[in-house]
Amino acid sequence: MASVEGMKLGFKGLINENDVSLFFKKNTCINRKDINDADILVMIRPHNFLSQKIVEAGKETGCFVIFFMDDDMFDLPSDLHSIPWRIRALRKNLSMSDIILTPNPYICQKYKEKTCQKRGVTIDTPVSEEDINKIPDKRQQNNIVKLVYAASGHHSMSINKYILPILEQLNNKYKDKVSMTFIGVKPEFDLKKFDFPVQYIKAMTLEEYRKWMNSQEYDIGFAPLDDTPFNNKKYFNKFFEYTLAGVVGIYSLCKPYTFVIENEINGFLADNTENDWLRKTVLAIDNNSLRRKCVFNAKMQLSNQFSEGAIRDTIKKELPELAQKKICKGNCKYIILPHIIYKIDLILELFYLFFFYLKKVGLNKTLKKIINHIETVRNYRVRKEKIYK
């Protein structure tokens, strides 16, 4: 997941490798030695049986356990699957963890009392000085204003609801002046129906995605989001990713974007209506100087508010345990059985998900979801292998 990759990059920027050894591993790759050697155990969205057993083993050896969650996974909307045994494992892991770590203050306040120490720490995404310096400086307006929407596959409904109506309107006025790119989320309509170029790019690793975005000189990025209690507890990752690519974002006028975006200062905020989304898009297309001003202000905000130094100071103050060794309580009794049970769970989840989506969207759309998921996973693995060879 992009959130996991982002957390990996963020922690590497925050940790002094002379003081702390940092290891990122899939739960299926963790063994007894890993747990015995660890002082701190950070569990990222630990919603499965195997993660629960890892936490139990970590507690046995005296690890300080941190529960990380960037979405309210206990309160999922009805259109997202909520697998019962995942929620049970998530709840158990939260109760065994010493603290909750999250980028969203609402999640922190809502769930910190469920932890062992009844503590929570809110942490923003750190941005390195190197990444800030790489932000493209678009001094001249391109002949074509390049629009982009990057998201994971389950955001396809946002395309039909927010972006497709905009593109249909732009087709009449800007047919020779704009282009549109979808990254990671595949439109269900024919891309050739428009007079201007529209393309779809398959999902990438976060590292490759950032390189791609920096190389393409996109101008405007879409970030629509329904104003719901679940979405309000999300994080504003789009603000970071678009700004790092020198792209001005058009964001829904709702939390979490209202935490960080000031309209026409560091981005655009649009009411979730077709007219306002179109109005803000046209304003951004027609006003190159305003786009440049917003990107400049957003870049300064990253440098001042989200620098590695600023976030590191917060971590040192709020989470001093990251620099402390554990007092060992015992050896890990971790065995292979939890791995076997976890694999069985994964098979059961496939059946659960199939019938969940079959009931929600019907057979044809369920089969499309399966095919798209297989293609995304295969493409992601191929890309990742190329990067890390």
Side-chain angles (χ1 to χ4, degrees):
M1 294 184 64
S3 59
V4 177
E5 285 191 273
M7 192 173 180
K8 179 178 180 180
L9 293 173
F11 260 88
K12 282 187 174 181
L14 294 175
I15 296 299
N16 184 339
E17 294 185 357
N18 295 323
D19 301 325
V20 178
S21 297
L22 181 66
F23 300 93
F24 268 79
K25 283 194 171 185
K26 291 175 62 178
N27 57 1
T28 52
C29 297
I30 292 177
N31 54 43
R32 292 177 60 186
K33 185 177 185 304
D34 294 324
I35 297 174
N36 283 327
D37 290 347
D39 298 295
I40 297 99
L41 189 61
V42 183
M43 303 301 295
I44 305 174
R45 303 167 67 100
H47 62 339
N48 54 67
F49 174 80
L50 182 54
S51 293
Q52 178 183 328
K53 292 303 175 183
I54 291 171
V55 172
E56 289 175 0
K59 297 294 285 187
E60 286 178 1
T61 67
C63 287
F64 183 82
V65 180
I66 299 172
F67 179 102
F68 177 84
M69 187 171 69
D70 55 353
D71 282 326
D72 191 349
M73 299 173 69
F74 292 102
D75 192 16
L76 297 172
S78 60
D79 59 327
L80 293 179
H81 52 81
S82 181
I83 300 176
W85 54 92
R86 281 190 181 184
I87 302 301
R88 284 196 296 268
L90 196 69
R91 187 176 294 112
K92 181 67 175 176
N93 285 327
L94 178 63
S95 67
M96 290 190 293
S97 298
D98 292 287
I99 71 163
I100 182 171
L101 183 68
T102 176
N104 191 295
Y106 289 144
I107 292 177
C108 185
Q109 288 299 318
K110 186 175 180 180
Y111 294 112
K112 68 179 183 179
E113 296 297 322
K114 305 290 186 181
T115 64
C116 292
Q117 296 190 13
K118 302 187 184 305
R119 281 175 60 197
V121 175
T122 303
I123 180 175
D124 283 306
T125 298
V127 182
S128 70
E129 185 177 350
E130 179 184 0
D131 285 336
I132 293 174
N133 290 335
K134 289 179 181 177
I135 296 175
D137 184 13
K138 302 186 182 75
R139 296 185 180 275
Q140 301 296 326
Q141 179 166 346
N142 297 324
N143 292 329
I144 300 294
V145 177
K146 302 178 71 173
L147 315 176
V148 64
Y149 177 49
S152 56
H154 67 269
H155 287 90
S156 59
M157 292 299 295
S158 293
I159 294 178
N160 294 331
K161 187 173 182 179
Y162 297 105
I163 300 177
L164 178 57
I166 294 173
L167 298 183
E168 289 174 341
Q169 292 294 325
L170 297 183
N171 202 46
N172 299 324
K173 184 178 179 181
Y174 295 99
K175 61 180 64 178
D176 300 321
K177 297 180 180 179
V178 300
S179 68
M180 180 70 209
T181 301
F182 294 94
I183 302 177
V185 55
K186 190 173 184 179
E188 297 178 353
F189 54 81
D190 183 4
L191 303 185
K192 297 179 181 179
K193 66 182 288 188
F194 299 101
D195 295 325
F196 52 82
V198 180
Q199 65 172 335
Y200 161 66
I201 306 296
K202 294 180 179 180
M204 312 175 194
T205 65
L206 181 60
E207 190 173 348
E208 189 176 20
Y209 165 75
R210 287 182 174 178
K211 289 180 180 178
W212 170 269
M213 291 291 288
N214 274 352
S215 69
Q216 295 302 302
E217 295 189 344
Y218 293 116
D219 297 293
I220 300 168
F222 293 117
L225 193 67
D226 286 332
D227 189 3
T228 66
F230 176 76
N231 288 339
N232 294 159
K233 296 184 183 71
K234 286 181 171 290
Y235 193 50
F236 40 80
N237 288 313
K238 282 283 193 302
F239 169 70
F240 292 101
E241 298 306 327
Y242 284 156
T243 302
L244 287 174
V247 175
V248 62
I250 304 178
Y251 308 89
S252 287
L253 180 61
C254 66
K255 300 168 185 174
Y257 293 129
T258 50
F259 288 142
V260 70
I261 304 298
E262 293 184 68
N263 188 45
E264 298 184 27
I265 301 297
N266 59 352
F268 297 88
L269 289 170
D271 288 327
N272 280 342
T273 63
E274 181 178 329
N275 286 340
D276 203 44
W277 269 94
L278 178 62
R279 186 169 66 87
K280 295 299 170 61
T281 302
V282 169
L283 175 63
I285 290 172
D286 289 342
N287 201 323
N288 179 47
S289 61
L290 182 56
R291 295 201 306 268
R292 288 182 56 207
K293 183 193 84 169
C294 288
V295 171
F296 176 82
N297 290 336
K299 178 180 177 179
M300 291 300 100
Q301 189 173 3
L302 292 189
S303 183
N304 296 329
Q305 185 178 344
F306 300 100
S307 68
E308 288 179 342
I311 307 302
R312 190 182 296 114
D313 289 342
T314 300
I315 286 289
K316 285 182 178 179
K317 180 181 178 181
E318 301 291 337
L319 200 52
E321 288 86 356
L322 282 182
Q324 298 173 4
K325 294 187 69 67
K326 70 182 178 184
I327 301 173
C328 188
K329 294 181 179 179
N331 289 322
C332 170
K333 301 181 179 65
Y334 192 62
I335 55 176
I336 196 66
L337 182 59
H339 284 271
I340 297 173
I341 296 175
Y342 177 60
K343 290 180 179 179
I344 295 173
D345 278 351
L346 291 179
I347 296 172
L348 294 175
E349 285 181 8
L350 291 176
F351 285 101
Y352 183 98
L353 293 174
F354 176 79
F355 287 106
F356 173 86
Y357 284 112
L358 183 65
K359 182 179 178 180
K360 283 283 181 182
V361 299
L363 181 60
N364 288 338
K365 289 189 176 181
T366 299
L367 293 177
K368 284 183 180 179
K369 277 184 173 290
I370 294 172
I371 294 170
N372 288 338
H373 178 73
I374 292 172
E375 288 179 350
T376 299
V377 171
R378 183 191 298 126
N379 180 66
Y380 181 88
R381 286 175 177 168
V382 169
R383 289 177 179 272
K384 195 163 187 176
E385 285 173 4
K386 289 180 180 179
I387 290 174
Y388 294 109
K389 252 183 186 179

